[in-house]
Amino acid sequence: MIYIKYILWVLLLTVSLVGVQAQTILQPSQVSQNGFTLKGLVRDSETHSPIKGVNIQGDNGAYASSNFEGKFLIEVRIGDELIISHKDFETLYYSVNSTDDLTIDVRPADQQRATQSYSAKNNIPFKSVIDSAKFYKNISAEKSIQFIAESISKSNSTHQNAEAFEVLADVYSYWKQYDLAVSNYRISLNNVNTVSVQLKLAQAYYLNKNYQESIAVYEELTKAKLSETVLSDVYEGLGDVLSTTKQHQKAITAYKKGLAIAKRSLITPKITDLNSKIAQTYSASGALSEAESYYKSSLDLATKENKERAVKEKIKVADFNSANQAYSNEIKLRKESLQDIEAIEADTIIDNESDYTLQKQHYKIGNAYYLKKEYDAAIPYLQQSIIEADKRKDLVVEKDAKRKLSEVYRDAGEFEKALKAYEDYTQSVEKLYIKKEQQITQAARFSKNIAEQQNRIESLESDRQLSESRYQLNQEQNKRQTLIIYSLIGGVLLLLLVAYVMFKFIKQQKLANNLLALKSLRSQMNPHFIFNALNSVNSFIATNDERTANKYLSDFSKLMRAVLENSEENFIPLSKEIELIELYTKLEHFRFKDKFDYSLTVDEKIVVSDYTIPPMLLQPYIENAVWHGLRYKKEKGHLTIEIQKQSHDTIAIRITDDGIGRKQSKALKTHNQKKQNSKGMGNIEKRVSILNAMYKDKVDVLITDFNTEGDTGTQVIVTLKKDDRKLKNI
C-alpha cells in the first residue's frame, strides 16, 4: 500500500510539472495577484525630450529600462518604491500610490551643475560636505561617494584626507564592496594611523575573506595600549576570524579574553554577545555540554537587556536545539519569540535578511513539527509562514515553506494537497529565479558604477597630491630665494668674521666627524656582541634543562641591560665595565665549564672610581680568549683578568689565557671567521685611536703571546690613564 502511494505521488508530480511548463508557455507574463503593470515615461524637464536607457528598479525585484521614446513597463504593487537612475542625472526615488501612468521629469546633471554658482560650490566647508556623505551612506552609495569626491578636493590636511577615505571605506563596507573598503581604509591609515580605522580594516579584511591579513591586524592591536572597551572588541573580532577558519580552540581563547575584559569593565551587551559566540564555537567543535552551559548564560543575560536582544538569543539557542534534535525545546523557544517579534515590529521594520522574521520562525516551527512527524501541527505554521512571506515579499522563505508544506502533505498521505503545494512551490521558484537574475544584473551595474566612482576619486587624490607637491616646491623655492637675499645683505658684515668662522667650523667639523665615527663603530660592535651572545644562549638552551636555561637567560638579560645602558657613552666608570665583564665571563664559564676556569682580581691600591673606560672595550678580548683560545685547548685552561696599578695615574688591565695561541687559532678559522674577527678587532683599534686623539692618549692596547712553548696562549694589556675631566656623551 505504501509503495502504491509513492508511485501515485511521483505520477502526480510529473503531471503537475508538465502542467506548470505548459502554463508558462501559454502565459509568459502573468501579473501577480496583488500587482499591476505600471506604464511610465522619462523626459527632460525643460525640452520634454525622451531619455533612453534609464534604469527603473522596484524594491520587489522588478526591473525595466526606458526605450528610445523614454517609455517603460514595470510590474509593481501599491506602496512599492521605484529607483530611477541614469548616468546623466541624479538618482530619483518614487513611491507607487496609484495605478495611473507615471511621467518623470528630470534635469540632466550638466544642467544641474550649471545652475550652481561657482562661489556657492567652493565655499561649502569640508565638514559640511563630509557630513552629507555620512548622511547618504545608507541611502545612496552613488550620492555619498559624490560628496566624498568633493570633500577630497576641499581637503587641506592629512587629518581631513584620512577622514574622507575612512568615510568612503565605510560606504563601501555598508554596500558590501569589501575589497574597495580594504583599499580605502589603508589609504586613510597612510594619512593618519588610528586604532578605530585599524579595527575597521581588520573587519573589512575578514568580510573580504582575507583571513590571514585580518588576524595579523587584530594580533598587532592586542599588543597596543588600548582602552578596555576597544580591547574587548579586538579579541571578539579575532575570535570571529579564528572561528570562521575552524580554529575553534584559538577562537574560544580569544573570546574568553574579551569576555574577561568585558566583565571587568561591566560592558553588559558585550558579555552577552561573547557568551553566545563562545557557545556557538563550542557547538561547532562538538563540545555540546559546554555550548549548552554558555547558551544558558547568554540567554539569561539577553533576557535582562531588551526584547530585541532576547529574541536574537532565543533564536540562536533554538537553532542549537534544532541541530541537536531537541525539537520540543526548539519549538517552545520559537513560539516565545513570535510574540516578541510582533511587539518589535510595532516600533521598527525588520529586514528580510534578519534571522528573526515572523516568516522564518513560523517556517522553522513547522519544520520542527515535521521532523517530529506531527504533521497536523506543522501545517498551520507553514501556511502562516507563506502568508507572512508573501506579505513581506520574501520569496526565499515563501519558496521553502511551500516545498516543506508539500512534503508534509505527502508524508501525511494528502497527495492532492501535496501536488497543489508543489505547484505553488514551482511558481515561487520561477519568481525567485527571475528576481535573482535581476539582482545579478543590478549588482553588476552597481559594481560598475562604484568602480567608475572609485577611479574618479583615485584620480582626484593623485591630482591633490600633485598640487600639494607643487605648492610645497614653490614654498621651498621662495624660502631659498629669501635666504639668498638675506645672505647677500649680510655678506659684507660676515667678511670680517670669515677667518674666525672657518677656524671654528673646521674644529667643529673634525669633532663631529670623530663623534660620528665613534657612533658608527659602536653601532657595529653592539650587534656583533649581541649576535655572538645569542648564539651562546641558543646553544646552551638546546643542550640543557629548562631550569638551568632560565637562570642562564636571567643573567643574560642583566648583561644586555647593562650593555644597553652604556651603549651611548664615550666613557663609563671602570666599576661598570668590571661588572659587565664579570657577568659576561660568568656566562661563558657557565657554558664552557669543562674548558676553562677564570679569576678576576683588582689591585687594592686602585681607587676604581677615579677611572673611566670606553664601554665594551674589554669584552671582545675576553670573548676572543674563550672562543679562539681556550675553547680549542685539549686540557682545561685558565683565564686571568688582573687590574693592577702602574703609576700614580695609570693602571694596567691584563687579560691572559693559556689557550692554543693566535697562530694556531688563525690556522683553525674559516675564511668567514677570519673576516669577522678582523673586523671586530679593527673596530676596537679605530675606537681607541679616535678616543686617544680626542682625550690625549688616554688608552693603550698591547696584544702579545703569553708562552713560547706548547699552548702559547695570549695576553692583552690595556693601559688606562686617569682623567678627571667630565667626559661628554655622544
Side-chain angles (χ1 to χ4, degrees):
M1 187 66 181
I2 294 174
Y3 293 112
I4 293 173
K5 285 184 179 180
Y6 278 112
I7 292 169
L8 288 172
W9 166 245
V10 172
L11 290 172
L12 285 170
L13 286 183
T14 304
V15 172
S16 69
L17 287 174
V18 173
V20 168
Q21 291 175 351
Q23 186 179 18
T24 303
I25 295 170
L26 294 172
Q27 300 175 359
S29 58
Q30 282 190 332
V31 179
S32 62
Q33 186 178 358
N34 298 323
F36 63 95
T37 301
L38 177 68
K39 297 180 180 179
L41 168 66
V42 185
R43 65 185 185 181
D44 189 296
S45 61
E46 293 185 0
T47 65
H48 288 187
S49 301
I51 301 177
K52 177 185 175 183
V54 177
N55 302 302
I56 299 93
Q57 175 186 342
D59 57 4
N60 63 345
Y63 172 76
S65 177
S66 62
N67 60 18
F68 68 96
E69 294 180 332
K71 296 179 180 179
F72 64 89
L73 298 174
I74 188 168
E75 300 296 326
V76 296
R77 298 179 182 181
I78 299 296
D80 283 359
E81 184 177 60
L82 297 181
I83 303 171
I84 301 100
S85 61
H86 191 269
K87 63 183 179 62
D88 290 337
F89 58 80
E90 290 187 2
T91 301
L92 303 175
Y93 300 88
Y94 174 77
S95 294
V96 179
N97 50 29
S98 72
T99 59
D100 297 337
D101 292 353
L102 175 63
T103 299
I104 303 169
D105 291 323
V106 300
R107 178 182 295 179
D110 291 340
Q111 295 179 23
Q112 291 177 6
R113 286 192 288 269
T115 61
Q116 297 176 345
S117 68
Y118 178 83
S119 60
K121 181 180 177 182
N122 285 277
N123 286 334
I124 300 175
F126 172 86
K127 182 64 177 172
S128 298
V129 178
I130 205 69
D131 285 346
S132 298
K134 293 176 182 177
F135 175 79
Y136 282 103
K137 183 189 81 171
N138 302 346
I139 302 171
S140 169
E142 184 179 1
K143 201 162 188 176
S144 181
I145 293 171
Q146 287 174 355
F147 278 114
I148 292 168
E150 187 177 349
S151 72
I152 291 172
S153 66
K154 295 176 180 294
S155 170
N156 55 20
S157 70
T158 54
H159 282 83
Q160 288 185 346
N161 216 41
E163 183 180 4
F165 279 98
E166 179 186 356
V167 175
L168 178 60
D170 290 344
V171 173
Y172 286 139
S173 184
Y174 178 82
W175 292 97
K176 300 182 180 180
Q177 304 294 307
Y178 302 121
D179 55 336
L180 293 175
V182 165
S183 299
N184 288 282
Y185 281 134
R186 292 178 64 179
I187 294 173
S188 177
L189 289 170
N190 286 338
N191 283 273
V192 178
N193 196 339
T194 62
V195 171
S196 61
V197 178
Q198 287 184 49
L199 268 173
K200 291 179 179 180
L201 175 61
Q203 179 69 3
Y205 272 136
Y206 168 57
L207 295 172
N208 200 44
K209 299 183 180 179
N210 301 123
Y211 299 127
Q212 295 308 314
E213 292 85 348
S214 180
I215 290 171
V217 176
Y218 277 127
E219 288 182 341
E220 191 64 30
L221 284 170
T222 61
K223 303 172 186 176
K225 293 182 179 179
L226 306 174
S227 67
E228 295 276 71
T229 303
V230 174
L231 191 57
S232 179
D233 289 338
V234 169
Y235 279 116
E236 181 181 9
L238 179 58
D240 291 342
V241 186
L242 294 169
S243 180
T244 302
T245 53
K246 309 298 183 185
Q247 300 179 64
H248 296 128
Q249 197 53 52
K250 289 184 178 180
I252 290 168
T253 301
Y255 285 141
K256 286 185 176 180
K257 287 181 179 179
L259 179 60
I261 296 168
K263 287 180 177 179
R264 188 165 62 241
S265 302
L266 302 177
I267 311 172
T268 304
K270 185 69 66 181
I271 296 172
T272 307
D273 291 342
L274 288 169
N275 270 285
S276 180
K277 289 185 176 183
I278 292 171
Q280 285 178 299
T281 310
Y282 270 129
S283 177
S285 67
L288 301 183
S289 60
E290 290 86 349
E292 188 173 0
S293 174
Y294 275 96
Y295 268 131
K296 184 178 183 305
S297 299
S298 64
L299 188 56
D300 291 342
L301 291 165
T303 305
K304 296 173 185 176
E305 285 188 44
N306 56 63
K307 191 163 290 186
E308 184 173 354
R309 186 66 187 86
V311 166
K312 290 180 180 178
E313 203 56 35
K314 283 180 182 178
I315 290 170
K316 284 184 182 179
V317 178
D319 290 340
F320 172 74
N321 288 329
S322 176
N324 292 282
Q325 300 181 1
Y327 300 123
S328 297
N329 292 337
E330 176 194 358
I331 292 168
K332 179 176 178 295
L333 285 170
R334 294 197 193 280
K335 285 183 177 179
E336 291 175 4
S337 300
L338 288 176
Q339 297 177 349
D340 295 336
I341 294 170
E342 289 175 351
I344 293 169
E345 284 193 327
D347 300 323
T348 184
I349 297 174
I350 300 176
D351 190 85
N352 284 341
E353 298 297 324
S354 171
D355 288 331
Y356 61 101
T357 59
L358 285 172
Q359 60 268 29
K360 286 181 182 176
Q361 296 313 306
H362 278 102
Y363 169 78
K364 290 185 178 181
I365 293 172
N367 184 60
Y369 275 125
Y370 169 71
L371 293 171
K372 291 181 68 179
K373 298 185 179 181
E374 297 179 16
Y375 304 127
D376 291 339
I379 290 169
Y381 282 100
L382 292 171
Q383 289 173 336
Q384 187 62 32
S385 174
I386 295 168
I387 293 170
E388 295 291 345
D390 181 62
K391 188 190 303 181
R392 291 165 173 78
K393 303 173 186 176
D394 190 343
L395 285 175
V396 175
V397 174
E398 182 179 344
K399 165 189 70 77
D400 292 341
K402 286 178 179 178
R403 182 179 180 87
K404 184 60 65 177
L405 184 60
S406 173
E407 292 174 357
V408 172
Y409 280 136
R410 179 198 65 194
D411 292 353
E414 300 183 48
F415 296 112
E416 289 185 7
K417 290 183 179 180
L419 177 59
K420 178 63 173 61
Y422 193 84
E423 288 175 349
D424 292 342
Y425 160 72
T426 58
Q427 291 177 2
S428 296
V429 169
E430 186 179 349
K431 288 181 187 177
L432 184 61
Y433 177 76
I434 295 170
K435 182 178 179 181
K436 291 295 182 184
E437 278 192 328
Q438 292 170 347
Q439 288 176 344
I440 291 170
T441 303
Q442 293 160 11
R445 187 166 53 253
F446 177 76
S447 296
K448 181 181 178 182
N449 292 337
I450 288 292
E452 290 173 354
Q453 295 273 21
Q454 177 67 14
N455 290 337
R456 181 179 169 225
I457 286 176
E458 289 176 355
S459 176
L460 283 172
E461 173 63 3
S462 298
D463 292 343
R464 189 194 67 80
Q465 290 178 349
L466 181 60
S467 298
E468 186 176 343
S469 298
R470 286 174 177 170
Y471 172 78
Q472 291 176 349
L473 181 60
N474 289 334
Q475 290 292 99
E476 191 66 27
Q477 288 175 343
N478 291 337
K479 289 179 181 178
R480 289 176 182 175
Q481 290 172 359
T482 303
L483 181 61
I484 291 171
I485 292 170
Y486 281 111
S487 297
L488 291 174
I489 293 172
V492 176
L493 296 174
L494 291 174
L495 281 174
L496 299 174
L497 301 173
V498 69
Y500 175 75
V501 170
M502 289 298 294
F503 172 76
K504 293 289 289 182
F505 175 78
I506 292 170
K507 187 176 180 180
Q508 290 175 356
Q509 188 68 28
K510 186 176 180 181
L511 176 62
N513 288 340
N514 284 337
L515 293 175
L516 184 61
L518 277 175
K519 192 167 187 177
S520 174
L521 291 169
R522 253 197 332 265
S523 69
Q524 295 175 33
M525 290 288 291
N526 289 343
H528 175 72
F529 159 69
I530 292 170
F531 178 80
N532 287 339
L534 283 176
N535 273 341
S536 299
V537 172
N538 182 56
S539 176
F540 186 81
I541 291 175
T543 57
N544 288 270
D545 62 82
E546 183 179 349
R547 181 178 299 176
T548 307
N550 286 337
K551 184 178 183 307
Y552 191 88
L553 282 173
S554 176
D555 289 342
F556 175 72
S557 67
K558 293 177 184 177
L559 175 62
M560 291 307 302
R561 189 180 298 111
V563 170
L564 292 174
E565 286 174 354
N566 301 329
S567 63
E568 290 298 314
E569 306 287 337
N570 283 347
F571 286 85
I572 62 171
L574 179 59
S575 59
K576 286 189 176 181
E577 182 74 0
I578 292 172
E579 291 176 3
L580 190 148
I581 63 171
E582 187 172 14
L583 188 55
Y584 175 79
T585 310
K586 176 183 175 183
L587 287 172
E588 291 294 66
H589 180 256
F590 200 74
R591 183 180 172 196
F592 298 112
K593 287 181 180 179
D594 59 332
K595 289 295 183 180
F596 75 99
D597 289 320
Y598 75 96
S599 61
L600 191 155
T601 58
V602 181
D603 193 340
E604 294 179 355
K605 299 175 183 178
I606 299 174
V607 181
V608 176
S609 59
D610 289 346
Y611 294 88
T612 57
I613 187 171
M616 295 286 291
L617 182 66
L618 303 179
Q619 182 272 334
Y621 296 118
I622 298 173
E623 183 178 315
N624 277 347
V626 174
W627 282 75
H628 304 297
L630 296 167
R631 191 160 65 108
Y632 296 106
K633 187 177 174 70
K634 294 181 179 179
E635 60 274 8
K636 194 170 188 179
H638 195 275
L639 173 67
T640 304
I641 305 169
E642 299 174 302
I643 303 176
Q644 298 175 334
K645 194 172 183 66
Q646 276 195 336
S647 65
H648 71 284
D649 64 344
T650 306
I651 61 172
I653 304 171
R654 288 184 172 83
I655 301 170
T656 308
D657 70 83
D658 58 356
I660 63 175
R662 291 180 294 171
K663 184 176 180 181
Q664 190 176 349
S665 174
K666 186 175 182 181
L668 292 174
K669 289 180 186 176
T670 65
H671 174 73
N672 185 56
Q673 288 174 330
K674 291 177 183 178
K675 183 178 177 182
Q676 294 297 327
N677 186 51
S678 174
K679 185 176 179 181
M681 291 298 100
N683 283 350
I684 296 174
E685 290 173 5
K686 290 177 184 178
R687 286 179 66 201
V688 170
S689 176
I690 293 171
L691 289 168
N692 283 337
M694 294 172 66
Y695 300 108
K696 298 181 180 178
D697 298 323
K698 181 174 173 61
V699 181
D700 183 47
V701 179
L702 175 65
I703 303 175
T704 62
D705 292 334
F706 180 54
N707 297 317
T708 57
E709 296 179 2
D711 289 337
T712 57
T714 306
Q715 184 174 69
V716 179
I717 303 174
V718 179
T719 305
L720 192 66
K721 290 184 179 180
K722 185 190 297 185
D723 190 351
D724 295 328
R725 293 179 301 169
K726 292 182 178 179
L727 301 172
K728 296 182 179 179
N729 295 340
I730 289 177

